Amino acid sequence: VADVDTALDSLGMAGSSSNPTLLPVSGISLSGTGSVRTATVTPAANQNGTATVTISITDGTSTAASSFLLTVNPINDTPSITTIADVTVDEDNPTSVAFAISDVDTALTNLFVVVASSNTSLIPTANIVIGAAVGTGNRFAIITPTTNQFGTSIITVTVSDGTGTANTSFTVTVNPVNDAPFISFVPDQSINEDQLASIPVTISDPESADLTITASSSAQNVLPNANLVLGGYGTSRTVSVRGATNASGLSIVTISATDGSLTTVQSFVVNIAPINDAPTISGIAASVTTDEDIPLTLNFTVTDLDSDVNSVTLSSDLPAIIASVKFGGSGAARNAIITPVTNANGSASISFVAS
């Protein structure tokens, strides 16, 4: 600066900007003494463009000014993301966290968010879903741990504008929760009287291999508990069922599994169909004797488990020395009169048939 008739240190100086958004007046600083002066310009944060800067000097009466063009080049600013607090959740439950993203020179719609998990067995990346409040930088993440898993995982959320990135990390702690044992569905069963059936069933527990497994029947006369036999090992189990001897009907079988705290039951119906049992003959000695020409009377018992014993008929073969076999009696108490051939003697095997 110069002035032929005014002391240089008595001159007044000021600066102005044609674009105060880019360069506010407060961003123009004038310093120095005598004829050597300095203008320091500081553009507004995150602004770019041009501004005409005018430096004026006055002695109180006259004013002189000089202008220059200031060009501020754009530089990409990295996006920003807010911190996320650590979270704790119980096993098998989702949780959510909120955060915000921003970028001074990139539209929110052009920002993208990615996530990573340090423990993908506990929290797979696919189980972290990012959502957004439309038109704002507000975001949220819904986090779903893997079923029946517990532990910790560090989740990292990264925001990018395509060039610069910013990230924040937080810890998700999943508390263990005791799960009830699992018993697979068992369809209703139909078996025949006196038949043994082995029924497969899957039994498991994600936390405990030491399960107490029992089976019971609702109809002891049809299917006693003693005829329910558990087998197998691990998750592959069987329950063998056999009805009471010669019994038929329905019974509800209930399988129970407990880990000591929680119990699971599974029930199914066993329908035991009746099967016709042959009648029986008892009370006849293996060998009997009579004299020649003397009829022999044998008393014996006839039984039938599932038919009226009075409907049971008897028949016999006739060996050469036997003239006739006549049956008598009724109900269970029956008899047979065996008449030998006249003047015949010897031994013969006779078969009685009940039908």
Side-chain angles (χ1 to χ4, degrees), residues 133-168:
V134 178
T136 73
N138 295 328
R139 300 288 189 268
F140 60 87
I142 299 175
I143 303 165
T144 305
T146 302
T147 302
N148 297 322
Q149 297 294 312
F150 60 89
T152 61
S153 180
I154 299 173
I155 306 301
T156 300
V157 183
T158 301
V159 59
S160 174
D161 60 8
T163 302
T165 62
N167 62 63
T168 187

PDB file of all heavy atoms in Angstrom, residues 133-168:
ATOM      1  N   ALA A 133     -35.234 -44.622   7.587  1.00  0.00           N
ATOM      2  CA  ALA A 133     -36.375 -43.702   7.627  1.00  0.00           C
ATOM      3  C   ALA A 133     -36.295 -42.856   6.364  1.00  0.00           C
ATOM      4  O   ALA A 133     -35.292 -42.170   6.121  1.00  0.00           O
ATOM      5  CB  ALA A 133     -36.313 -42.829   8.871  1.00  0.00           C
ATOM      6  N   VAL A 134     -37.342 -42.911   5.545  1.00  0.00           N
ATOM      7  CA  VAL A 134     -37.314 -42.280   4.227  1.00  0.00           C
ATOM      8  C   VAL A 134     -37.024 -40.788   4.346  1.00  0.00           C
ATOM      9  O   VAL A 134     -37.609 -40.079   5.168  1.00  0.00           O
ATOM     10  CB  VAL A 134     -38.656 -42.506   3.495  1.00  0.00           C
ATOM     11  CG1 VAL A 134     -38.653 -41.805   2.143  1.00  0.00           C
ATOM     12  CG2 VAL A 134     -38.906 -43.999   3.322  1.00  0.00           C
ATOM     13  N   GLY A 135     -36.073 -40.324   3.513  1.00  0.00           N
ATOM     14  CA  GLY A 135     -35.787 -38.902   3.436  1.00  0.00           C
ATOM     15  C   GLY A 135     -34.874 -38.378   4.518  1.00  0.00           C
ATOM     16  O   GLY A 135     -34.629 -37.167   4.590  1.00  0.00           O
ATOM     17  N   THR A 136     -34.368 -39.253   5.382  1.00  0.00           N
ATOM     18  CA  THR A 136     -33.479 -38.808   6.465  1.00  0.00           C
ATOM     19  C   THR A 136     -32.240 -39.688   6.483  1.00  0.00           C
ATOM     20  O   THR A 136     -32.156 -40.708   5.779  1.00  0.00           O
ATOM     21  CB  THR A 136     -34.171 -38.896   7.834  1.00  0.00           C
ATOM     22  OG1 THR A 136     -34.280 -40.272   8.224  1.00  0.00           O
ATOM     23  CG2 THR A 136     -35.563 -38.273   7.792  1.00  0.00           C
ATOM     24  N   GLY A 137     -31.284 -39.297   7.316  1.00  0.00           N
ATOM     25  CA  GLY A 137     -30.085 -40.112   7.499  1.00  0.00           C
ATOM     26  C   GLY A 137     -30.238 -41.151   8.592  1.00  0.00           C
ATOM     27  O   GLY A 137     -29.275 -41.851   8.904  1.00  0.00           O
ATOM     28  N   ASN A 138     -31.420 -41.251   9.156  1.00  0.00           N
ATOM     29  CA  ASN A 138     -31.650 -42.198  10.244  1.00  0.00           C
ATOM     30  C   ASN A 138     -31.718 -43.619   9.687  1.00  0.00           C
ATOM     31  O   ASN A 138     -32.460 -43.893   8.735  1.00  0.00           O
ATOM     32  CB  ASN A 138     -32.931 -41.864  10.993  1.00  0.00           C
ATOM     33  CG  ASN A 138     -32.846 -40.525  11.700  1.00  0.00           C
ATOM     34  OD1 ASN A 138     -31.781 -40.119  12.143  1.00  0.00           O
ATOM     35  ND2 ASN A 138     -33.975 -39.826  11.802  1.00  0.00           N
ATOM     36  N   ARG A 139     -30.957 -44.496  10.280  1.00  0.00           N
ATOM     37  CA  ARG A 139     -30.912 -45.887   9.857  1.00  0.00           C
ATOM     38  C   ARG A 139     -31.099 -46.791  11.078  1.00  0.00           C
ATOM     39  O   ARG A 139     -30.954 -46.365  12.224  1.00  0.00           O
ATOM     40  CB  ARG A 139     -29.572 -46.222   9.194  1.00  0.00           C
ATOM     41  CG  ARG A 139     -29.261 -45.386   7.948  1.00  0.00           C
ATOM     42  CD  ARG A 139     -30.134 -45.793   6.779  1.00  0.00           C
ATOM     43  NE  ARG A 139     -29.716 -45.162   5.538  1.00  0.00           N
ATOM     44  CZ  ARG A 139     -30.185 -44.016   5.087  1.00  0.00           C
ATOM     45  NH1 ARG A 139     -31.090 -43.345   5.799  1.00  0.00           N
ATOM     46  NH2 ARG A 139     -29.771 -43.531   3.929  1.00  0.00           N
ATOM     47  N   PHE A 140     -31.422 -48.064  10.811  1.00  0.00           N
ATOM     48  CA  PHE A 140     -31.518 -49.047  11.893  1.00  0.00           C
ATOM     49  C   PHE A 140     -31.068 -50.396  11.351  1.00  0.00           C
ATOM     50  O   PHE A 140     -31.100 -50.653  10.136  1.00  0.00           O
ATOM     51  CB  PHE A 140     -32.935 -49.125  12.472  1.00  0.00           C
ATOM     52  CG  PHE A 140     -33.992 -49.518  11.475  1.00  0.00           C
ATOM     53  CD1 PHE A 140     -34.290 -50.857  11.228  1.00  0.00           C
ATOM     54  CD2 PHE A 140     -34.697 -48.542  10.773  1.00  0.00           C
ATOM     55  CE1 PHE A 140     -35.264 -51.212  10.313  1.00  0.00           C
ATOM     56  CE2 PHE A 140     -35.667 -48.893   9.852  1.00  0.00           C
ATOM     57  CZ  PHE A 140     -35.955 -50.227   9.614  1.00  0.00           C
ATOM     58  N   ALA A 141     -30.625 -51.233  12.260  1.00  0.00           N
ATOM     59  CA  ALA A 141     -30.201 -52.591  11.904  1.00  0.00           C
ATOM     60  C   ALA A 141     -30.956 -53.574  12.782  1.00  0.00           C
ATOM     61  O   ALA A 141     -30.965 -53.436  14.010  1.00  0.00           O
ATOM     62  CB  ALA A 141     -28.697 -52.759  12.084  1.00  0.00           C
ATOM     63  N   ILE A 142     -31.600 -54.552  12.150  1.00  0.00           N
ATOM     64  CA  ILE A 142     -32.270 -55.636  12.879  1.00  0.00           C
ATOM     65  C   ILE A 142     -31.331 -56.842  12.843  1.00  0.00           C
ATOM     66  O   ILE A 142     -30.947 -57.318  11.771  1.00  0.00           O
ATOM     67  CB  ILE A 142     -33.627 -55.981  12.254  1.00  0.00           C
ATOM     68  CG1 ILE A 142     -34.558 -54.761  12.307  1.00  0.00           C
ATOM     69  CG2 ILE A 142     -34.268 -57.165  12.977  1.00  0.00           C
ATOM     70  CD1 ILE A 142     -35.872 -54.979  11.596  1.00  0.00           C
ATOM     71  N   ILE A 143     -30.970 -57.330  14.025  1.00  0.00           N
ATOM     72  CA  ILE A 143     -29.966 -58.387  14.160  1.00  0.00           C
ATOM     73  C   ILE A 143     -30.640 -59.628  14.737  1.00  0.00           C
ATOM     74  O   ILE A 143     -31.241 -59.577  15.811  1.00  0.00           O
ATOM     75  CB  ILE A 143     -28.824 -57.927  15.067  1.00  0.00           C
ATOM     76  CG1 ILE A 143     -28.201 -56.628  14.511  1.00  0.00           C
ATOM     77  CG2 ILE A 143     -27.772 -59.016  15.221  1.00  0.00           C
ATOM     78  CD1 ILE A 143     -27.331 -55.903  15.501  1.00  0.00           C
ATOM     79  N   THR A 144     -30.519 -60.749  14.015  1.00  0.00           N
ATOM     80  CA  THR A 144     -31.139 -61.998  14.453  1.00  0.00           C
ATOM     81  C   THR A 144     -30.067 -63.059  14.648  1.00  0.00           C
ATOM     82  O   THR A 144     -29.488 -63.549  13.672  1.00  0.00           O
ATOM     83  CB  THR A 144     -32.164 -62.497  13.424  1.00  0.00           C
ATOM     84  OG1 THR A 144     -33.130 -61.463  13.174  1.00  0.00           O
ATOM     85  CG2 THR A 144     -32.882 -63.742  13.932  1.00  0.00           C
ATOM     86  N   PRO A 145     -29.756 -63.430  15.902  1.00  0.00           N
ATOM     87  CA  PRO A 145     -28.752 -64.485  16.132  1.00  0.00           C
ATOM     88  C   PRO A 145     -29.231 -65.832  15.585  1.00  0.00           C
ATOM     89  O   PRO A 145     -30.433 -66.083  15.422  1.00  0.00           O
ATOM     90  CB  PRO A 145     -28.631 -64.521  17.664  1.00  0.00           C
ATOM     91  CG  PRO A 145     -29.177 -63.201  18.131  1.00  0.00           C
ATOM     92  CD  PRO A 145     -30.250 -62.847  17.154  1.00  0.00           C
ATOM     93  N   THR A 146     -28.275 -66.706  15.308  1.00  0.00           N
ATOM     94  CA  THR A 146     -28.591 -68.057  14.866  1.00  0.00           C
ATOM     95  C   THR A 146     -29.354 -68.797  15.981  1.00  0.00           C
ATOM     96  O   THR A 146     -29.059 -68.636  17.156  1.00  0.00           O
ATOM     97  CB  THR A 146     -27.303 -68.820  14.528  1.00  0.00           C
ATOM     98  OG1 THR A 146     -26.591 -68.095  13.521  1.00  0.00           O
ATOM     99  CG2 THR A 146     -27.606 -70.214  14.015  1.00  0.00           C
ATOM    100  N   THR A 147     -30.322 -69.597  15.578  1.00  0.00           N
ATOM    101  CA  THR A 147     -31.138 -70.342  16.538  1.00  0.00           C
ATOM    102  C   THR A 147     -30.268 -71.207  17.453  1.00  0.00           C
ATOM    103  O   THR A 147     -29.355 -71.902  16.993  1.00  0.00           O
ATOM    104  CB  THR A 147     -32.153 -71.223  15.791  1.00  0.00           C
ATOM    105  OG1 THR A 147     -32.960 -70.386  14.961  1.00  0.00           O
ATOM    106  CG2 THR A 147     -33.044 -71.971  16.763  1.00  0.00           C
ATOM    107  N   ASN A 148     -30.559 -71.118  18.741  1.00  0.00           N
ATOM    108  CA  ASN A 148     -29.912 -71.935  19.778  1.00  0.00           C
ATOM    109  C   ASN A 148     -28.406 -71.671  19.925  1.00  0.00           C
ATOM    110  O   ASN A 148     -27.679 -72.525  20.438  1.00  0.00           O
ATOM    111  CB  ASN A 148     -30.153 -73.436  19.531  1.00  0.00           C
ATOM    112  CG  ASN A 148     -31.614 -73.801  19.616  1.00  0.00           C
ATOM    113  OD1 ASN A 148     -32.344 -73.277  20.447  1.00  0.00           O
ATOM    114  ND2 ASN A 148     -32.063 -74.694  18.749  1.00  0.00           N
ATOM    115  N   GLN A 149     -27.950 -70.489  19.499  1.00  0.00           N
ATOM    116  CA  GLN A 149     -26.547 -70.119  19.652  1.00  0.00           C
ATOM    117  C   GLN A 149     -26.427 -68.962  20.646  1.00  0.00           C
ATOM    118  O   GLN A 149     -27.334 -68.142  20.773  1.00  0.00           O
ATOM    119  CB  GLN A 149     -25.940 -69.706  18.310  1.00  0.00           C
ATOM    120  CG  GLN A 149     -25.912 -70.810  17.273  1.00  0.00           C
ATOM    121  CD  GLN A 149     -24.993 -71.941  17.664  1.00  0.00           C
ATOM    122  OE1 GLN A 149     -23.854 -71.715  18.066  1.00  0.00           O
ATOM    123  NE2 GLN A 149     -25.483 -73.172  17.568  1.00  0.00           N
ATOM    124  N   PHE A 150     -25.292 -68.906  21.335  1.00  0.00           N
ATOM    125  CA  PHE A 150     -25.046 -67.795  22.259  1.00  0.00           C
ATOM    126  C   PHE A 150     -23.558 -67.465  22.230  1.00  0.00           C
ATOM    127  O   PHE A 150     -22.731 -68.229  21.734  1.00  0.00           O
ATOM    128  CB  PHE A 150     -25.524 -68.132  23.674  1.00  0.00           C
ATOM    129  CG  PHE A 150     -24.859 -69.342  24.275  1.00  0.00           C
ATOM    130  CD1 PHE A 150     -23.680 -69.226  25.002  1.00  0.00           C
ATOM    131  CD2 PHE A 150     -25.419 -70.609  24.120  1.00  0.00           C
ATOM    132  CE1 PHE A 150     -23.064 -70.333  25.552  1.00  0.00           C
ATOM    133  CE2 PHE A 150     -24.808 -71.729  24.668  1.00  0.00           C
ATOM    134  CZ  PHE A 150     -23.632 -71.588  25.391  1.00  0.00           C
ATOM    135  N   GLY A 151     -23.214 -66.279  22.752  1.00  0.00           N
ATOM    136  CA  GLY A 151     -21.827 -65.822  22.739  1.00  0.00           C
ATOM    137  C   GLY A 151     -21.785 -64.347  22.388  1.00  0.00           C
ATOM    138  O   GLY A 151     -22.750 -63.601  22.620  1.00  0.00           O
ATOM    139  N   THR A 152     -20.666 -63.885  21.810  1.00  0.00           N
ATOM    140  CA  THR A 152     -20.515 -62.478  21.451  1.00  0.00           C
ATOM    141  C   THR A 152     -20.034 -62.358  20.016  1.00  0.00           C
ATOM    142  O   THR A 152     -19.369 -63.261  19.483  1.00  0.00           O
ATOM    143  CB  THR A 152     -19.512 -61.758  22.373  1.00  0.00           C
ATOM    144  OG1 THR A 152     -18.230 -62.380  22.234  1.00  0.00           O
ATOM    145  CG2 THR A 152     -19.964 -61.809  23.819  1.00  0.00           C
ATOM    146  N   SER A 153     -20.372 -61.240  19.412  1.00  0.00           N
ATOM    147  CA  SER A 153     -19.899 -60.919  18.064  1.00  0.00           C
ATOM    148  C   SER A 153     -19.739 -59.415  17.954  1.00  0.00           C
ATOM    149  O   SER A 153     -20.579 -58.653  18.464  1.00  0.00           O
ATOM    150  CB  SER A 153     -20.872 -61.426  16.994  1.00  0.00           C
ATOM    151  OG  SER A 153     -20.404 -61.111  15.697  1.00  0.00           O
ATOM    152  N   ILE A 154     -18.663 -58.986  17.319  1.00  0.00           N
ATOM    153  CA  ILE A 154     -18.459 -57.560  17.053  1.00  0.00           C
ATOM    154  C   ILE A 154     -19.047 -57.244  15.682  1.00  0.00           C
ATOM    155  O   ILE A 154     -18.644 -57.836  14.674  1.00  0.00           O
ATOM    156  CB  ILE A 154     -16.969 -57.195  17.105  1.00  0.00           C
ATOM    157  CG1 ILE A 154     -16.404 -57.478  18.499  1.00  0.00           C
ATOM    158  CG2 ILE A 154     -16.759 -55.731  16.731  1.00  0.00           C
ATOM    159  CD1 ILE A 154     -14.898 -57.304  18.586  1.00  0.00           C
ATOM    160  N   ILE A 155     -19.988 -56.325  15.660  1.00  0.00           N
ATOM    161  CA  ILE A 155     -20.637 -55.926  14.423  1.00  0.00           C
ATOM    162  C   ILE A 155     -20.028 -54.601  13.966  1.00  0.00           C
ATOM    163  O   ILE A 155     -19.981 -53.635  14.743  1.00  0.00           O
ATOM    164  CB  ILE A 155     -22.157 -55.770  14.610  1.00  0.00           C
ATOM    165  CG1 ILE A 155     -22.753 -57.053  15.216  1.00  0.00           C
ATOM    166  CG2 ILE A 155     -22.827 -55.440  13.286  1.00  0.00           C
ATOM    167  CD1 ILE A 155     -22.541 -58.292  14.397  1.00  0.00           C
ATOM    168  N   THR A 156     -19.577 -54.559  12.733  1.00  0.00           N
ATOM    169  CA  THR A 156     -19.012 -53.339  12.158  1.00  0.00           C
ATOM    170  C   THR A 156     -19.939 -52.833  11.060  1.00  0.00           C
ATOM    171  O   THR A 156     -20.275 -53.589  10.129  1.00  0.00           O
ATOM    172  CB  THR A 156     -17.606 -53.586  11.594  1.00  0.00           C
ATOM    173  OG1 THR A 156     -16.754 -54.036  12.647  1.00  0.00           O
ATOM    174  CG2 THR A 156     -17.030 -52.311  10.997  1.00  0.00           C
ATOM    175  N   VAL A 157     -20.341 -51.565  11.187  1.00  0.00           N
ATOM    176  CA  VAL A 157     -21.208 -50.932  10.194  1.00  0.00           C
ATOM    177  C   VAL A 157     -20.389 -49.875   9.463  1.00  0.00           C
ATOM    178  O   VAL A 157     -19.793 -48.992  10.086  1.00  0.00           O
ATOM    179  CB  VAL A 157     -22.435 -50.275  10.866  1.00  0.00           C
ATOM    180  CG1 VAL A 157     -23.369 -49.690   9.813  1.00  0.00           C
ATOM    181  CG2 VAL A 157     -23.171 -51.294  11.724  1.00  0.00           C
ATOM    182  N   THR A 158     -20.334 -49.976   8.151  1.00  0.00           N
ATOM    183  CA  THR A 158     -19.538 -49.068   7.336  1.00  0.00           C
ATOM    184  C   THR A 158     -20.442 -48.318   6.366  1.00  0.00           C
ATOM    185  O   THR A 158     -21.294 -48.936   5.703  1.00  0.00           O
ATOM    186  CB  THR A 158     -18.467 -49.831   6.551  1.00  0.00           C
ATOM    187  OG1 THR A 158     -17.622 -50.533   7.459  1.00  0.00           O
ATOM    188  CG2 THR A 158     -17.624 -48.886   5.702  1.00  0.00           C
ATOM    189  N   VAL A 159     -20.246 -46.986   6.264  1.00  0.00           N
ATOM    190  CA  VAL A 159     -20.971 -46.170   5.299  1.00  0.00           C
ATOM    191  C   VAL A 159     -19.960 -45.655   4.286  1.00  0.00           C
ATOM    192  O   VAL A 159     -18.837 -45.275   4.623  1.00  0.00           O
ATOM    193  CB  VAL A 159     -21.730 -45.011   5.989  1.00  0.00           C
ATOM    194  CG1 VAL A 159     -20.794 -44.111   6.765  1.00  0.00           C
ATOM    195  CG2 VAL A 159     -22.525 -44.203   4.956  1.00  0.00           C
ATOM    196  N   SER A 160     -20.367 -45.617   3.020  1.00  0.00           N
ATOM    197  CA  SER A 160     -19.461 -45.199   1.944  1.00  0.00           C
ATOM    198  C   SER A 160     -20.210 -44.334   0.943  1.00  0.00           C
ATOM    199  O   SER A 160     -21.413 -44.537   0.691  1.00  0.00           O
ATOM    200  CB  SER A 160     -18.878 -46.427   1.238  1.00  0.00           C
ATOM    201  OG  SER A 160     -18.119 -46.055   0.114  1.00  0.00           O
ATOM    202  N   ASP A 161     -19.472 -43.352   0.391  1.00  0.00           N
ATOM    203  CA  ASP A 161     -20.027 -42.554  -0.703  1.00  0.00           C
ATOM    204  C   ASP A 161     -19.444 -42.980  -2.041  1.00  0.00           C
ATOM    205  O   ASP A 161     -19.612 -42.302  -3.064  1.00  0.00           O
ATOM    206  CB  ASP A 161     -19.776 -41.062  -0.468  1.00  0.00           C
ATOM    207  CG  ASP A 161     -18.284 -40.728  -0.379  1.00  0.00           C
ATOM    208  OD1 ASP A 161     -17.450 -41.620  -0.651  1.00  0.00           O
ATOM    209  OD2 ASP A 161     -17.958 -39.572  -0.039  1.00  0.00           O
ATOM    210  N   GLY A 162     -18.749 -44.105  -2.050  1.00  0.00           N
ATOM    211  CA  GLY A 162     -18.121 -44.601  -3.257  1.00  0.00           C
ATOM    212  C   GLY A 162     -16.649 -44.306  -3.306  1.00  0.00           C
ATOM    213  O   GLY A 162     -15.895 -44.942  -4.059  1.00  0.00           O
ATOM    214  N   THR A 163     -16.212 -43.337  -2.503  1.00  0.00           N
ATOM    215  CA  THR A 163     -14.795 -42.979  -2.449  1.00  0.00           C
ATOM    216  C   THR A 163     -14.265 -43.066  -1.021  1.00  0.00           C
ATOM    217  O   THR A 163     -13.273 -43.731  -0.745  1.00  0.00           O
ATOM    218  CB  THR A 163     -14.567 -41.562  -3.004  1.00  0.00           C
ATOM    219  OG1 THR A 163     -15.053 -41.501  -4.341  1.00  0.00           O
ATOM    220  CG2 THR A 163     -13.092 -41.204  -2.994  1.00  0.00           C
ATOM    221  N   GLY A 164     -14.925 -42.362  -0.131  1.00  0.00           N
ATOM    222  CA  GLY A 164     -14.518 -42.376   1.267  1.00  0.00           C
ATOM    223  C   GLY A 164     -15.453 -43.229   2.102  1.00  0.00           C
ATOM    224  O   GLY A 164     -16.610 -43.469   1.731  1.00  0.00           O
ATOM    225  N   THR A 165     -14.951 -43.711   3.220  1.00  0.00           N
ATOM    226  CA  THR A 165     -15.761 -44.550   4.110  1.00  0.00           C
ATOM    227  C   THR A 165     -15.595 -44.104   5.552  1.00  0.00           C
ATOM    228  O   THR A 165     -14.602 -43.462   5.916  1.00  0.00           O
ATOM    229  CB  THR A 165     -15.352 -46.033   4.014  1.00  0.00           C
ATOM    230  OG1 THR A 165     -13.991 -46.177   4.425  1.00  0.00           O
ATOM    231  CG2 THR A 165     -15.522 -46.575   2.605  1.00  0.00           C
ATOM    232  N   ALA A 166     -16.569 -44.472   6.357  1.00  0.00           N
ATOM    233  CA  ALA A 166     -16.510 -44.292   7.807  1.00  0.00           C
ATOM    234  C   ALA A 166     -17.197 -45.497   8.432  1.00  0.00           C
ATOM    235  O   ALA A 166     -18.106 -46.088   7.837  1.00  0.00           O
ATOM    236  CB  ALA A 166     -17.194 -43.005   8.241  1.00  0.00           C
ATOM    237  N   ASN A 167     -16.754 -45.910   9.602  1.00  0.00           N
ATOM    238  CA  ASN A 167     -17.375 -47.080  10.223  1.00  0.00           C
ATOM    239  C   ASN A 167     -17.440 -46.913  11.729  1.00  0.00           C
ATOM    240  O   ASN A 167     -16.757 -46.070  12.320  1.00  0.00           O
ATOM    241  CB  ASN A 167     -16.635 -48.364   9.848  1.00  0.00           C
ATOM    242  CG  ASN A 167     -15.201 -48.381  10.311  1.00  0.00           C
ATOM    243  OD1 ASN A 167     -14.929 -48.347  11.507  1.00  0.00           O
ATOM    244  ND2 ASN A 167     -14.269 -48.401   9.358  1.00  0.00           N
ATOM    245  N   THR A 168     -18.275 -47.735  12.310  1.00  0.00           N
ATOM    246  CA  THR A 168     -18.390 -47.821  13.767  1.00  0.00           C
ATOM    247  C   THR A 168     -18.634 -49.272  14.126  1.00  0.00           C
ATOM    248  O   THR A 168     -19.218 -50.034  13.334  1.00  0.00           O
ATOM    249  CB  THR A 168     -19.519 -46.926  14.304  1.00  0.00           C
ATOM    250  OG1 THR A 168     -19.481 -46.915  15.732  1.00  0.00           O
ATOM    251  CG2 THR A 168     -20.888 -47.432  13.872  1.00  0.00           C
TER     252      THR A 168
END
